[in-house]
């Protein structure tokens, strides 16, 4: 695939609506041409120990961050007309749909692809299919795993190799 937007969300708690950061990488004609990162004030606005342990974000980090609709107004023009790709489509797409519902936004029915499921089908013998493992298989070293923009970059790197 030559043109797409790789996207990654981190959440504050067990609720899919609690997106607290987003990273987007725009790829056109196989080249990384743009990226976007923002913290987001989550809904509901609380953090669990486990989520913070994964990504390091806390209430203090997002207390003054914009809410999702404000952030999405900036993202929507960047991704217009592009399919979205995530490393775990089930998670990221469900987060996006949930937060759209929470804020009563019309969901544009984005075309979504998944590098995780594609990697499981096309690459045999990896010890696991976590983002950093698959990225390393394709020569990309993911240094800030669970930072939304770093994860979106790794996903984009993988997608250029295996999504048709």
């Amino acid at each position: 695939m030559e043109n797409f937007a790789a996207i990654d969300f981190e959440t504050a708690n067990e609720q899919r609506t609690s997106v607290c950061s987003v990273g987007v990488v725009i790829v056109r004609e196989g080249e990384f041409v743009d990226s976007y990162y923002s913290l987001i004030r989550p809904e509901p606005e609380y953090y669990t120990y486990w989520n913070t342990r994964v990504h390091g974000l806390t209430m203090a980090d997002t207390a003054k961050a914009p809410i999702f609709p404000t952030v999405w107004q900036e993202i929507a023009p960047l991704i217009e007309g592009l399919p979205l790709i995530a490393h775990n489509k089930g998670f990221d797409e469900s987060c996006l749909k949930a937060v759209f519902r929470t804020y009563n936004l019309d969901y544009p029915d984005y075309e979504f692809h998944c590098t995780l499921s594609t990697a499981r089908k096309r690459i045999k013998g990896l010890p696991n299919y976590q983002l950093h493992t698959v990225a390393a298989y394709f020569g990309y070293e993911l240094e800030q795993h669970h930072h939304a923009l770093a994860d979106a970059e790794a996903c984009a790197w993988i997608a250029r190799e295996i999504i048709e």
Side-chain angles (χ1 to χ4, degrees):
M1 186 173 287
E2 297 251 321
N3 301 297
F4 61 87
I7 190 165
D8 184 76
F9 291 106
E10 299 298 330
T11 55
N13 55 61
E14 68 284 349
Q15 303 297 315
R16 298 293 169 119
T17 60
S18 71
V19 295
C20 60
S21 69
V22 61
V24 178
V25 172
I26 307 300
V27 176
R28 294 197 185 273
E29 297 180 17
E31 298 296 323
F32 289 37
V33 297
D34 204 355
S35 64
Y36 179 90
Y37 175 78
S38 182
L39 294 172
I40 301 170
R41 195 168 56 216
E43 178 59 46
E45 194 172 4
Y46 68 90
Y47 282 78
T48 63
Y49 167 80
W50 295 108
N51 288 57
T52 292
R53 189 168 173 210
V54 167
H55 51 59
L57 297 173
T58 67
M59 186 84 82
D61 296 313
T62 58
K64 294 182 181 179
I67 62 173
F68 178 81
T70 303
V71 172
W72 203 253
Q73 285 178 334
E74 296 177 1
I75 293 173
L78 295 173
I79 66 171
E80 188 173 351
L82 295 174
L84 300 180
I85 299 181
H87 188 65
N88 181 355
K89 171 190 166 184
F91 176 77
D92 294 288
E93 185 177 27
S94 67
C95 287
L96 188 57
K97 287 180 175 179
V99 79
F100 262 75
R101 278 192 306 275
T102 294
Y103 289 100
N104 296 312
L105 302 172
D106 291 329
Y107 187 76
D109 202 25
Y110 292 108
E111 175 186 342
F112 247 98
H113 298 271
C114 184
T115 54
L116 173 60
S117 63
T118 304
R120 284 181 172 151
K121 290 176 193 168
R122 297 200 176 166
I123 306 167
K124 301 301 178 203
L126 292 181
N128 62 59
Y129 291 86
Q130 295 173 10
L131 180 62
H132 65 279
T133 304
V134 179
Y137 176 85
F138 287 112
Y140 184 88
E141 186 177 342
L142 177 55
E143 295 179 2
Q144 290 183 286
H145 194 17
H146 296 298
H147 180 283
L149 184 56
D151 285 0
E153 289 172 357
C155 178
W157 187 275
I158 295 165
R160 289 190 312 176
E161 300 292 328
I162 64 172
I163 301 288
E164 294 177 356

